[in-house]
Amino acid sequence: MIRPTLASLVVRALLWAGGLGALGLPGQAAWAGQTAPVAVIGSGPAQEGGVRTAMLPLIRFQPQRSADGVVIDPAGLLTLRADLIAAGIRARLAAATLARTRQLYGAGRNVSAASLQQAEAADDLAAARSRALTAQAIAEFGPALAAMIARPTGPVADIASGSAALVAVALAGSPAPHATARDAAGTSVTLALIGAMAHAPAGRIGAGFYYRAPLLPAGEPLALDLDRGGPHRGYVIPASAVIYRRGHRAIFIETAPHHFTLITLRDAGTASGLSGGEFVRRAALPPHPIVAITGAGLLLSIVAGHHGAAGGGS
């Protein structure tokens, strides 16, 4: 543990009197009772030590997660679609025939009871066939896709016309309404959520979901990027600015000319995987932060050895 010296206490008092307390350091409630280490460095040593700063722009960041998908062979789906459409037509014809037969029988227009019974049986058989195929569709493809199979428009109709493909994706968690995928050649395509599958895709763990995609070959593997929650406002911290102190990531922010405050980046509100750095939510940093993007190691050494020739305090 670094013990504050008289010089460091004087530095802190000067910083506070100069308005450091009004800068709105992040998480003031969380910082209560804590003292952020401060490094003070002259312009000459700063240049010689390679300390460089930059003001981070406020950006909008959409967290994403990765998943794997595969383009489904639509043959079974389209066969079932044809059967459902045919069964629906037969069921409507049988219902119309039964209604007409009942009307004639009730009016005594030379329709026998046997003819009425035959019409009723045909109607029952057609309805039972339609219900059985609907149950089969739900069991094989899930309720969302099953409800679309016989429709004249929609994702399945597009697949039947050869203008779209069906993609199966295994996910841990809720699906995103839209996803971006890359095919084997690296081409980017946009996918739209259809609904849950009846089971997970073969060989994959997690709940299965169907997405509609532009026409792609059956069996094509896809690498997906899916939105995860809503977008956030914040800053991208360059990797060169991040140091580790006591097992936590931290950065130096210039809170006054040549005065750098060490701020710990807690896990909450951070997201890695961005090209060029790590995203931190706006609430985690003061407004318009000026960050030491290079030379953070020098500043950390000043904090650790505040009696160095470069000067400083902690």
Side-chain angles (χ1 to χ4, degrees):
M1 179 177 180
I2 301 173
R3 299 182 179 278
T5 63
L6 178 59
S8 66
L9 293 174
V10 170
V11 168
R12 290 177 189 166
L14 290 174
L15 289 174
W16 187 262
L20 179 58
L23 287 175
L25 286 175
Q28 288 184 347
W31 284 70
Q34 302 180 20
T35 301
V38 176
V40 182
I41 190 167
S43 58
Q47 296 294 330
E48 294 171 5
V51 176
R52 300 290 185 274
T53 62
M55 179 181 291
L56 303 182
L58 186 65
I59 67 165
R60 178 183 180 276
F61 173 63
Q62 175 64 65
Q64 292 187 328
R65 52 184 164 152
S66 299
D68 294 325
V70 63
V71 180
I72 298 295
D73 184 345
L77 175 67
L78 298 183
T79 298
L80 185 55
R81 169 180 165 83
D83 291 343
L84 274 168
I85 292 174
I89 293 172
R90 286 192 293 267
R92 289 191 295 273
L93 288 174
T97 299
L98 175 59
R100 179 62 176 166
T101 304
R102 281 174 174 167
Q103 182 182 18
L104 294 174
Y105 182 78
R109 297 183 181 179
N110 199 28
V111 175
S112 66
S115 296
L116 177 59
Q117 290 174 351
Q118 289 176 355
E120 289 174 341
D123 179 68
D124 289 341
L125 288 172
R129 174 60 175 168
S130 183
R131 289 194 298 269
L133 287 172
T134 299
Q136 178 185 344
I138 293 173
E140 291 185 9
F141 297 101
L145 190 61
M148 304 176 181
I149 288 180
R151 291 180 183 174
T153 60
V156 181
D158 294 339
I159 294 169
S161 68
S163 61
L166 186 66
V167 176
V169 181
L171 293 174
S174 59
H178 297 89
T180 302
R182 297 177 302 280
D183 61 16
T187 304
S188 179
V189 295
T190 300
L191 311 183
L193 176 67
I194 294 176
M197 299 174 62
H199 47 76
R204 289 175 170 80
I205 299 175
F209 295 91
Y210 284 123
Y211 280 81
R212 180 196 182 280
L215 185 60
L216 293 168
E220 177 89 9
L222 300 175
L224 281 72
D225 292 323
L226 303 100
D227 293 347
R228 183 176 59 195
H232 304 290
R233 302 279 286 180
Y235 308 96
V236 176
I237 307 295
S240 61
V242 179
I243 58 174
Y244 285 83
R245 182 174 184 268
R246 298 176 182 173
H248 294 286
R249 298 182 306 280
I251 60 172
F252 279 98
I253 292 183
E254 190 174 24
T255 48
H258 312 304
H259 292 68
F260 294 86
T261 301
L262 183 63
I263 293 181
T264 300
L265 302 176
R266 302 297 179 183
D267 292 336
T270 63
S272 58
L274 289 173
S275 58
E278 177 176 323
F279 176 82
V280 177
R281 295 187 185 182
R282 176 171 53 183
L285 297 178
H288 314 296
I290 300 176
V291 175
I293 58 174
T294 59
L298 171 63
L299 298 176
L300 184 62
S301 68
I302 294 173
V303 168
H306 53 82
H307 50 75
S314 68

